[in-house]
Amino acid sequence: MTAARVLRLLGARLKRPALVLVGTAVVLFALALDPASALVVALGAAALTAVVERVDLTPEPVRERHRAAARDGTRGEVLELAWTMVGRDGRAGERVLRRVRAVAAGRLARHGVDLADPDALPEVERLLGARARATLTRTSHPLPSASDVAHTVSALERLGPDPEPVPHAAAGALAPDPHPRRTDA
């Protein structure tokens, strides 16, 4: 870069501050301000002009964060459920119980049973069994064990999503699932 070019760039950058310096000094001298004070105020105005001239008022572009829509059963949801499956005391976590209850409410509703209705508890027990009913309806501590939750999930899988109820087998072989690949609740 040549010296002439440097002087040109410097002159272009300092043109407005120099004009503000001279203009402010002339006005302050005209108002009969002390020359030293007028020069200090004029230098401050020139410095402020130089700073303001360099400020870029256009906002910085913000990179958009791409967030995929949350879907049920995605890897993240399964991972979160796995972490909350068993608490420190070996009991099932609250989050897992809420999720199992929501799935059970959906499955049982397809079979005409309301899990929230206390009068429907015998029907819930008939469809899922006593252990699963106790797991789904327990609201106090201690929370159900992880094996109770696993048993309840198995009972819900046996029940299936279709309206034709599969009788709960207390003893003997379980009836095969008519739709083994369906995973919807």
Side-chain angles (χ1 to χ4, degrees):
M1 197 183 261
T2 64
R5 184 176 166 114
V6 169
L7 288 176
R8 244 189 330 228
L9 286 173
L10 194 59
R13 295 213 184 219
L14 295 178
K15 185 184 285 184
R16 277 196 195 119
L19 288 174
V20 168
L21 174 77
V22 170
T24 306
V26 168
V27 169
L28 293 175
F29 284 137
L31 293 173
L33 194 65
D34 179 46
S37 298
L39 187 59
V40 169
V41 171
L43 281 173
L48 182 64
T49 303
V51 169
V52 168
E53 201 172 71
R54 295 294 301 153
V55 172
D56 186 14
L57 297 178
T58 57
E60 287 287 324
V62 177
R63 187 176 143 200
E64 288 187 30
R65 297 183 73 166
H66 175 70
R67 292 197 175 219
R71 297 178 306 185
D72 287 340
T74 58
R75 179 180 288 183
E77 184 178 74
V78 172
L79 182 64
E80 287 178 31
L81 281 174
W83 274 101
T84 60
M85 184 70 104
V86 180
R88 291 182 181 167
D89 59 352
R91 302 269 178 195
E94 277 289 332
R95 186 166 183 199
V96 170
L97 285 174
R98 281 193 300 267
R99 183 70 177 139
V100 169
R101 285 181 188 131
V103 169
R107 288 263 173 124
L108 290 169
R110 289 187 183 133
H111 292 270
V113 178
D114 184 13
L115 183 61
D117 183 15
D119 297 333
L121 291 182
E123 186 65 17
V124 171
E125 188 169 333
R126 184 186 70 78
L127 291 171
L128 299 176
R131 183 177 177 191
R133 181 204 43 84
T135 301
L136 290 172
T137 58
R138 182 178 291 172
T139 57
S140 62
H141 287 284
L143 295 173
S145 66
S147 63
D148 289 336
V149 173
H151 172 78
T152 303
V153 169
S154 297
L156 288 168
E157 287 175 348
R158 279 193 310 271
L159 181 63
D162 293 329
E164 61 270 0
V166 177
H168 177 71
L174 298 175
D177 188 3
H179 304 285
R181 298 204 183 263
R182 287 182 70 175
T183 59
D184 57 341

